[in-house]
Amino acid sequence: MNTALSWIKAYVPELDCADQEYCDAMTLTGTKVENYERLDKNLEKIVIGQIEKIEKHPDADKLIVCQVNIGSEVIQIVTGAPNVKEGDKVPVVLDGGKVAGGHDGGPMPEEGIKIKAGKLRGIPSNGMMCSIEELGSDRNMYPEAPEFGIYIFPEDAQVGADAVEALGMRDTVFEYEITSNRVDCYSVLGIAREAAATFRKPFVPPVVEVKENGENVNDYISVEVKDPDLCTRYCARVCTNIKIAPSPEWMQRRLRASGIRPINNLVDITNYVMEEYGQPMHAFDLDTIAGHKIIVRRAADGDKFQTLDEQVRKLDKDILMICDAEKEIGIAGIMGGENSKITDDVKTVLFEAATFNGANIRKSAKRLGLRTDASGKFEKGLDPHNAEAAINRACQLISELGCGEVVSGMVDVCQPMKDEERIKFEPERINDLLGTDVSVEDMMSIFKMLEIEYDESTNELIAPTYRQDILCCADIAEEVARFFGYDKIPTTLPAGAATAGKLSFKLRIEQKARDIAEYCGFSQGMTYSFESPRVFDKLLIPEDSPLRNTVVIANPLGEDFSIMRTISLNGMLTSLATNYNRRNKDVRLYELGNIYLPYQFPLTQLPDERMQFTLGMYGEGDFFTMKGVVEEFFESIGLKKKTVYNPKSGKPFLHPGRQADIEYDGVTVGYLGEVHPTVCDNYDIGTRAYIAVLDMPYIVERATFDRKYEGVAKYPAVSRDISMVVPKEILAGQIEAVIEQRGGKILESCQLFDIYEGEQIKAGFKSVAYSITFRAKDRTLEEGDVAAAMKKILNGLESLGIELRS
């Protein structure tokens, strides 16, 4: 985005600053100035002179001797220019002056070229008449300049006046780096607004009042938008009795400074409004529009269309077109068509100002290989409210410049427009966020400069629609920071609870799971969340199991990756199988990964993503090895209550007699066991394999890292060993539960140290032996204390059908 400082000053009339000051201040408030260049660089002592007399050079056929009036005197200049005549007013560089470059239009020297009085073929010459190239410009910017020769000023130019000023070159052009969220700053008015706020000067936008002729625009044109998702607003106005002529000098100067070549009043007005308002416009010759009807619709695949650059473009169904009743007449937001272009014979013009889908314009321009100034603005996503303001401004200029008459009314096909964004005003929060102490009054003054209104009744700030980047309190805080001054924000420490360098509780539990698994010899693995529906058959899961209710991928890579997993075993068993078939003898793997359980069908919300801690191994170790890893993990995360292993888990993929649900605090938090031999065969694992799966959300809820120190015991312990004959169906966990329940406060621990089944034990029973330890924290135990506790324990065991061995 480029703007001339003079154009900015037209809307900020009190702005008075040096170029570098402007550059630095605008950059500090967020409108970054990349570069700037003075148009009058290296142009010194150049005035308007009038040629009073021309004579041939006595010694050179191609040179002439001119007597030039420069206002204060008449000087003699020798030139070879072929296009000058007596009475012409021309730019004259005086003795000691500078020009920017040479007449050949080559690269301009950094320091310019100094002109000195001298002699040409023996005749004194006290200066030089200039071409437009020697003044640092070219015919693209000054089309009235001759291709070869001296630049000729209009007849009303004042002799002796500053020629550089007369050409509009006493100006500076600034180049900005605008971020894509600041669409409003892709316009001169947007930059001027920022400049006014930066320098605390009044912003004076143009007052738009359209003089209309009383006719009805609906008698001239109708508009139909068939694809409102791609065109949210289409405004159309008509101007009649068009007179094509050069645009005024002030408009040409502003366009030149923005890098736009002046052409004629009609084209210049559309370009001028695009730069001023940031709203691209297009002008059609109404007489070329069939049926006097505009239809906005998608193209058809394979259509071809000739654009204004005389190139034939191949279209597709995703490109939006502007059409009349019979044909396409323009590619929406990119370029008009050759079949409706403005010519010098135009009588009635249709102005278009619309809002198109930014993403669609960007993709269409890329596919067509046709990116224009208009598409560059549309692709950012324009404010629909701006379309009406811009088209009215264009019509005002048509009327004021005598280009034609404006037909009354506007055709406006518009989808519901987004309301102004309302953000709760929280000054304390803004100051906390910025680390500042800006007063409410100062904040309000900043908001007023930025045209952000305040609703006292609701304590809300109302952002104008062109500020599409203001959506929340953080955006409001940014505005305060920009204009309070980033350089004024003090260095402060962050407030609130310190969290630096500390993992969340959930992540700490997961890290502890990794530590314990790796301590026990397990290596971490990672497997896919996408699986095949055939996994359930390999795992012997019944057809009616809830695990088969899966989230199906809409666009899978293939059937093997078509569903989200509801069980984590497939990846683990596949990894174990890979290692087994590569002859790794002892393998231990673990994984922390999610399963995805849908809440209901059809899906109305995202599934429940549950982290699973999955352990798998084969080789050295058995069921109890895996059980020991689980208990080691539980102890490390503070799960101190008794863990129950329920053998009636009924998992079809586990060995019927070597599996258990893991229950803690009355909740099943996982399962473990030996993999069913059939499942091992399905995965081509030729040995016994063991797995454990823990549901981490349940475990995180119950885990704790709180630890209470207990001193070294002061009083001695008393131990008792008991050996029992126990029915085989009685589990060790049931025995330990009775001992813990009946041992009372003095029970310190119980430890299983022997299990025996053999000929000496009667059929259906097993021999089990425990060592039981008693200790009191406040005294030395007496025999009676221990005897009473043991009696309660034995009575409880007898109720289970357990007998003491004699």
Side-chain angles (χ1 to χ4, degrees):
M1 179 67 192
N2 294 351
T3 68
L5 186 59
S6 61
W7 202 348
I8 299 298
K9 287 182 176 179
Y11 308 129
V12 191
E14 296 182 18
L15 181 62
D16 183 19
C17 61
D19 294 343
Q20 189 62 51
E21 181 186 358
Y22 178 87
C23 173
D24 294 342
M26 292 292 283
T27 300
L28 278 175
T29 56
T31 308
K32 184 180 179 183
V33 179
E34 281 284 317
N35 191 16
Y36 68 90
E37 180 181 6
R38 285 206 60 87
L39 298 180
D40 59 357
K41 180 181 179 182
N42 296 325
L43 301 181
E44 298 177 7
K45 297 180 70 175
I46 305 176
V47 299
I48 298 175
Q50 185 170 23
I51 302 174
E52 295 186 345
K53 185 177 181 181
I54 296 178
E55 296 176 338
K56 288 186 178 182
H57 193 289
D59 295 323
D61 293 338
K62 293 184 178 181
L63 296 179
I64 57 176
V65 181
C66 302
Q67 305 300 319
V68 183
N69 181 2
I70 60 169
S72 58
E73 60 178 314
V74 176
I75 63 174
Q76 179 171 287
I77 297 176
V78 178
T79 181
N83 67 312
V84 294
K85 64 182 184 300
E86 293 180 356
D88 283 347
K89 295 179 179 179
V90 297
V92 176
V93 190
L94 303 178
D95 180 24
K98 275 188 179 181
V99 292
H103 180 75
D104 58 2
M108 289 182 285
E110 184 65 28
E111 300 298 327
I113 299 173
K114 194 163 186 177
I115 304 300
K116 294 182 179 180
K119 292 183 178 182
L120 284 178
R121 302 290 291 269
I123 302 298
S125 181
N126 296 316
M128 184 181 81
M129 292 182 282
C130 304
S131 67
I132 198 65
E133 289 78 12
E134 289 164 328
L135 295 173
S137 190
D138 55 47
R139 293 183 68 248
N140 287 326
M141 294 297 104
Y142 292 84
E144 73 278 10
E147 185 173 359
F148 301 104
I150 304 302
Y151 182 84
I152 310 297
F153 282 104
E155 292 183 2
D156 58 354
Q158 182 180 352
V159 175
D162 185 345
V164 178
E165 176 69 29
L167 287 168
M169 299 177 73
R170 294 286 184 208
D171 206 348
T172 306
V173 176
F174 291 87
E175 178 186 356
Y176 306 88
E177 180 187 310
I178 307 297
T179 54
S180 58
N181 66 324
R182 288 302 307 272
V183 184
D184 59 303
C185 286
Y186 285 91
S187 67
V188 176
L189 285 175
I191 297 292
R193 237 184 241 108
E194 291 289 304
T198 298
F199 291 95
R200 303 292 197 273
K201 302 295 183 182
F203 172 61
V204 185
V207 177
V208 179
E209 295 179 354
V210 183
K211 183 179 179 181
E212 300 175 337
N213 65 4
E215 296 182 90
N216 188 342
V217 69
N218 295 296
D219 296 335
Y220 284 85
I221 192 69
S222 62
V223 176
E224 178 184 1
V225 177
K226 291 188 175 181
D227 291 281
D229 58 321
L230 300 184
C231 177
T232 54
R233 189 175 195 185
Y234 192 99
C235 300
R237 296 203 68 160
V238 174
C239 297
T240 60
N241 299 323
I242 297 297
K243 301 176 184 66
I244 300 296
S247 53
E249 186 63 31
W250 62 266
M251 181 177 285
Q252 292 189 37
R253 289 182 181 180
R254 291 179 180 179
L255 291 175
R256 287 188 194 113
S258 298
I260 298 175
R261 178 187 178 186
I263 297 175
N264 59 49
N265 51 5
L266 194 57
V267 175
D268 290 353
I269 284 172
T270 60
N271 286 333
Y272 183 86
V273 173
M274 179 175 71
E275 291 300 304
E276 186 178 42
Y277 279 76
Q279 170 68 52
M281 293 181 56
H282 191 71
F284 298 100
D285 185 342
L286 187 62
D287 294 332
T288 65
I289 297 177
H292 283 195
K293 182 174 184 179
I294 292 291
I295 302 173
V296 184
R297 61 167 175 80
R298 295 173 186 261
D301 285 332
D303 282 357
K304 293 183 178 180
F305 179 69
Q306 186 176 17
T307 47
L308 279 171
D309 58 0
E310 300 182 354
Q311 298 293 315
V312 176
R313 313 282 176 177
K314 188 176 180 180
L315 310 176
D316 60 55
K317 62 181 177 60
D318 292 322
I319 294 176
L320 191 67
M321 301 297 294
I322 308 298
C323 311
D324 61 19
E326 299 175 356
K327 61 188 181 299
E328 295 97 345
I329 57 174
I331 303 176
I334 301 176
M335 186 176 282
E338 179 73 16
N339 56 8
S340 62
K341 69 178 182 180
I342 298 293
T343 66
D344 291 343
D345 299 326
V346 66
K347 299 299 181 186
T348 307
V349 166
L350 171 67
F351 277 127
E352 164 198 283
T355 308
F356 303 114
N357 181 281
N360 176 264
I361 296 298
R362 178 180 57 81
K363 292 176 182 178
S364 297
K366 186 174 181 180
R367 289 198 303 276
L368 291 169
L370 180 62
R371 195 170 189 273
T372 61
D373 289 341
S375 69
K377 286 183 166 60
F378 276 121
E379 67 188 23
K380 305 294 189 303
L382 301 183
D383 174 19
H385 295 83
N386 197 36
E388 181 178 357
I391 201 170
N392 286 337
R393 174 63 164 162
C395 290
Q396 177 195 31
L397 292 172
I398 287 285
S399 177
E400 287 184 353
L401 302 183
C403 301
E405 298 179 9
V406 180
V407 175
S408 300
M410 177 180 73
V411 177
D412 186 7
V413 179
C414 183
Q415 300 302 307
M417 290 186 286
K418 183 180 177 181
D419 293 333
E420 296 170 320
E421 200 71 39
R422 302 177 75 95
I423 302 103
K424 186 178 180 181
F425 181 40
E426 302 172 282
E428 297 84 3
R429 184 180 175 189
I430 292 171
N431 278 320
D432 288 345
L433 187 61
L434 298 178
T436 57
D437 190 20
V438 183
S439 67
V440 173
E441 291 75 16
D442 289 342
M443 290 187 190
M444 285 299 182
S445 68
I446 291 172
F447 301 149
K448 184 177 181 181
M449 289 188 302
L450 296 172
E451 301 180 18
I452 298 174
E453 298 179 2
Y454 175 63
D455 186 342
E456 189 174 355
S457 62
T458 60
N459 190 36
E460 289 178 320
L461 297 169
I462 305 172
T465 56
Y466 58 79
R467 287 302 303 272
Q468 299 181 45
D469 60 309
I470 298 180
L471 301 172
C472 61
C473 182
D475 298 324
I476 291 294
E478 181 183 9
E479 299 305 301
V480 173
R482 288 200 302 134
F483 294 102
F484 172 73
Y486 290 119
D487 54 327
K488 297 178 183 176
I489 296 178
T491 302
T492 57
L493 292 173
T499 58
K502 185 177 180 181
L503 295 175
S504 67
F505 183 76
K506 172 179 175 293
L507 292 179
R508 290 175 67 196
I509 298 296
E510 292 174 8
Q511 185 59 53
K512 183 61 72 173
R514 294 187 186 93
D515 292 343
I516 294 299
E518 291 168 8
Y519 170 77
C520 295
F522 288 74
S523 299
Q524 185 171 13
M526 297 182 71
T527 60
Y528 290 112
S529 295
F530 299 158
E531 291 187 334
S532 166
R534 294 191 295 270
V535 164
F536 302 114
D537 296 330
K538 293 176 71 174
L539 292 173
L540 308 181
I541 292 175
E543 291 290 336
D544 59 350
S545 172
L547 293 175
R548 289 182 178 263
N549 298 328
T550 61
V551 176
V552 180
I553 306 300
N555 54 342
L557 297 174
E559 186 181 4
D560 289 344
F561 303 97
S562 61
I563 62 171
M564 302 296 289
R565 65 181 178 184
T566 56
I567 186 171
S568 62
L569 287 188
N570 176 65
M572 178 58 69
L573 294 177
T574 302
S575 297
L576 291 177
T578 300
N579 280 275
Y580 178 81
N581 288 293
R582 293 182 180 176
R583 300 185 181 182
N584 292 325
K585 293 183 179 180
D586 298 302
V587 173
R588 296 186 177 191
L589 299 175
Y590 77 92
E591 179 188 17
L592 282 164
N594 287 338
I595 60 173
Y596 304 85
L597 305 177
Y599 291 103
Q600 61 185 17
F601 289 98
L603 292 174
T604 58
Q605 57 183 318
L606 294 175
D608 182 15
E609 299 185 23
R610 302 189 70 82
M611 177 69 71
Q612 306 291 288
F613 180 27
T614 307
L615 299 150
M617 70 178 192
Y618 68 79
E620 185 179 348
D622 56 16
F623 176 94
F624 296 102
T625 305
M626 186 67 81
K627 178 171 175 283
V629 177
V630 172
E631 292 185 342
E632 182 82 16
F633 172 55
F634 281 6
E635 183 179 355
S636 71
I637 59 173
L639 300 186
K640 296 180 179 180
K641 294 183 181 178
K642 187 69 177 177
T643 302
V644 176
Y645 295 88
N646 184 357
K648 298 179 181 180
S649 62
K651 299 290 189 293
F653 42 81
L654 297 178
H655 192 292
R658 299 168 189 160
Q659 61 172 283
D661 278 341
I662 304 170
E663 298 176 357
Y664 182 84
D665 198 20
V667 176
T668 300
V669 296
Y671 55 86
L672 80 163
E674 180 182 328
V675 179
H676 197 289
T678 303
V679 175
C680 282
D681 290 342
N682 291 341
Y683 281 90
D684 199 18
I685 301 175
T687 186
R688 290 184 176 183
Y690 302 90
I691 60 95
V693 178
L694 300 175
D695 193 52
M696 293 299 283
Y698 283 138
I699 289 171
V700 171
E701 288 177 6
R702 294 161 175 80
T704 177
F705 288 110
D706 293 339
R707 299 289 187 270
K708 184 178 180 180
Y709 172 74
E710 295 184 3
V712 177
K714 297 179 179 180
Y715 300 97
V718 178
S719 296
R720 295 287 186 269
D721 295 345
I722 57 173
S723 181
M724 300 165 282
V725 178
V726 180
K728 282 189 176 182
E729 64 272 12
I730 299 296
L731 303 176
Q734 294 174 271
I735 296 173
E736 292 172 5
V738 170
I739 294 174
E740 290 177 0
Q741 179 186 359
R742 291 176 172 265
K745 294 182 179 181
I746 63 172
L747 178 68
E748 185 173 76
S749 65
C750 62
Q751 185 70 38
L752 174 68
F753 66 86
D754 183 59
I755 297 179
Y756 171 74
E757 296 181 31
E759 295 179 359
Q760 294 85 350
I761 306 301
K762 59 184 177 180
F765 286 80
K766 58 187 175 183
S767 174
V768 177
Y770 274 89
S771 177
I772 304 174
T773 302
F774 300 95
R775 191 195 305 264
K777 295 181 179 181
D778 56 350
R779 60 191 172 88
T780 300
L781 291 176
E782 298 180 358
E783 180 61 27
D785 299 325
V786 177
M790 286 299 298
K791 183 177 181 180
K792 291 181 181 179
I793 291 171
L794 294 174
N795 289 339
L797 294 174
E798 288 176 3
S799 67
L800 296 177
I802 296 173
E803 303 173 3
L804 285 177
R805 290 186 66 182
S806 56

